[in-house]
Amino acid sequence: MAITNATDQNFSQEVSDGLVLADFWAPWCGPCKMIAPVLEELDAEMGDKAKIVKIDVDENQETASQYGVMSIPTLLVFKNGEKVDQVVGFQPKEALAELLNKHA
């Protein structure tokens, strides 16, 4: 499954079904750039088990504030539209896989 870019307008729809990892990021954020290839690898390994959605906090401040995102990268885990977990800052692929697997 490819990584999807979400906006304020379609975010709730993007996370409404199944297991979703939402990456709140910004283009100027160093750790966000570091985690991007990790998310690509994770996406390839998880296949259809989980969907990864990226949301640019500069362009979509409404969603970021709705979920209380204060620092980035913030990764939220949603299961059928409901937030079930969250981590802040760079995470290695293994930690993210474990985070998703615990809610699968």
Side-chain angles (χ1 to χ4, degrees), residues 39-94:
L39 293 174
E40 293 284 347
E41 282 181 40
L42 189 65
D43 183 56
E45 287 176 20
M46 294 297 284
D48 292 341
K49 281 191 254 171
K51 174 178 174 183
I52 297 177
V53 173
K54 293 177 72 90
I55 183 160
D56 183 333
V57 296
D58 288 343
E59 294 175 7
N60 302 284
Q61 295 177 357
E62 196 179 295
T63 304
S65 111
Q66 181 184 346
Y67 289 99
V69 173
M70 295 304 208
S71 56
I72 51 175
T74 291
L75 299 135
L76 304 182
V77 180
F78 290 86
K79 189 158 190 178
N80 298 321
E82 212 166 297
K83 183 181 134 192
V84 292
D85 220 330
Q86 125 175 20
V87 290
V88 177
F90 177 82
Q91 303 289 319
K93 184 178 67 173
E94 295 72 25

